[in-house]
Amino acid sequence: VEVGHEELDAASLREHEEFTKVKNIATIELGRYEIETWYFSPFPPEYNDSLKLYFCEFCLNFMKRKEQLQRHMRKCDLKHPPGDEIYRSGTLSMFEVDGKKNKVYGQNLCYLAKLFLDHKTLYYDVDLFLFYVLCECDDRGCHMVGYFSKEKHSEESYNLACILTLPPYQRKGYGKFLIAFSYELSKKEGKVGTPERPLSDLGLLSYRGYWTRVLLDILKKHKGNISIKELSDMTAIKAEDILTTLQSLELIQYRKGQHVICADPKVLDRHLKAAGRGGLEVDVSKLIWTPYK
Ligand code: 1VU
């Protein structure tokens, strides 16, 4: 069925416009990487005649010319994201950046992220968000690997708004680390959480993989019956996400008006093998954090 523009509400129309915009920036330079972009991002108009943008890997300011970046690097005194280091394990650190305290950084991060996200309009009202920026650190500084954003207050129990692993770091387990981290924060808050929808194809694959592994690990170890509510309390994964994950693995039966988990150990092992690698582990003892008030 064809839908005329007049029948779309304002929000869908804006989203439709974002989708159909032509990709503007083809490549970016960020730290030691040159990265090909995937999608349109609404940079201010004066940047739209550049095919390539040069980002400062620490403050995320972007420039049109390499010489501008070189000049900037001589005076930029940041060596890590501008926020609190809330986790460090080996060379991996997580920084929490408050969008209200670091507005320009938050906006720059959104412009950068949109180059790799096509599925939704990003919110540029960064005041309302916290950004969790994952870095690999060495003697030159803390280099951003990826991030997720989180609303300070979510009515819908979202514990993650947007997630990105920068392309040079993808498929190494950082995505699952970021997802696991978002649930560790929810556990500390004593809340269940769920990612904001819609999920991209890669987002859904990563979440399915994470949910499957976490739930099957528990089911494997657990003796006797366990309810979806108990699984949710243990993992901070929202009950609906547990139900859809277990249903897609055909581990749920409907008996006498109730969902029942049927977990044959052999079936669990088969699913676990198919669920891929575990990703990088979050060492909760290294997380020093209190919920946002
Ligand atoms: O490696 P495993 O098999 O153990 O697990 C992978 C795999 O299952 C799947 N996956 C892929 N499968 C096929 N082809 C691929 N190219 C691929 N990439 C991932 O996902 C599992 C997770 O792997 P990971 O832990 O190594 O995750 P990454 O560091 O690669 O990060 C995953 C994300 C989704 C963050 C990354 O692909 C990304 O940044 N994509 C672009 C942005 C995006 O789509 N973000 C999600 C949007 S939805 C949203 O933000 C709302 C919540």
Side-chain angles (χ1 to χ4, degrees), residues 38-39 113 116-120 160-167 169-179 195-207 209 275-280:
W38 297 0
Y39 304 109
F116 306 99
L117 285 155
D118 77 330
H119 65 293
K120 63 174 159 189
L160 180 150
C162 273
I163 179 169
L164 168 76
T165 302
L166 288 167
Y169 296 97
Q170 282 177 8
R171 211 75 209 269
K172 297 179 197 289
Y174 291 112
K176 277 189 226 154
F177 180 94
L178 290 166
I179 293 171
E196 198 177 306
R197 304 305 198 272
L199 294 172
S200 66
D201 294 353
L202 289 172
L204 185 61
L205 276 171
S206 305
Y207 266 97
R277 294 163 294 183
L280 295 162

Side-chain angles (χ1 to χ4, degrees), residues 3-19 121:
V3 182
H5 278 180
E6 62 284 0
E7 287 166 57
L8 294 169
D9 60 41
S12 327
L13 191 56
R14 228 178 302 123
E15 201 158 321
H16 174 74
E17 282 172 359
E18 289 277 306
F19 273 137
T121 329

